Amino acid sequence: MGNQAKEDALYQEMCRVVGKVVLEMRDLGQEPKHIVIAGVLRTSLANRKIKRSALTEQAMVEVVKALAGE
């Protein structure tokens, strides 16, 4: 897989991850602020019982960095 294809796949996965969190927060009646989304993803990443693909894990980390200004 070429570098551009990897970047595109990562970007698509990042969008999927953020979209899923935003929709779940909406369903719970919470306002999806960027720092809250980052916190939800940090908490999820800390749970090592959940099996994720390497791409999903990397996407989650990159989203946290982008939203939290890390």
Side-chain angles (χ1 to χ4, degrees):
M1 187 183 283
N3 197 31
Q4 185 62 42
K6 285 181 183 179
E7 288 179 14
D8 289 344
L10 177 59
Y11 179 78
Q12 291 300 319
E13 187 65 7
M14 289 170 69
C15 291
R16 188 194 70 75
V17 165
V18 170
K20 183 176 180 183
V21 171
V22 167
L23 291 174
E24 288 179 10
M25 290 176 71
R26 182 208 57 201
D27 290 346
L28 295 171
Q30 296 178 339
E31 186 176 343
K33 295 181 180 179
H34 71 280
I35 199 69
V36 177
I37 295 169
V40 168
L41 291 173
R42 276 192 194 104
T43 300
S44 183
L45 282 166
N47 184 353
R48 292 296 173 189
K49 293 179 183 177
I50 298 172
K51 301 293 182 209
R52 298 178 191 90
S53 70
L55 179 62
T56 298
E57 186 110 1
Q58 182 183 4
M60 292 171 76
V61 169
E62 293 301 322
V63 168
V64 169
K65 287 180 185 176
L67 293 177
E70 295 177 359

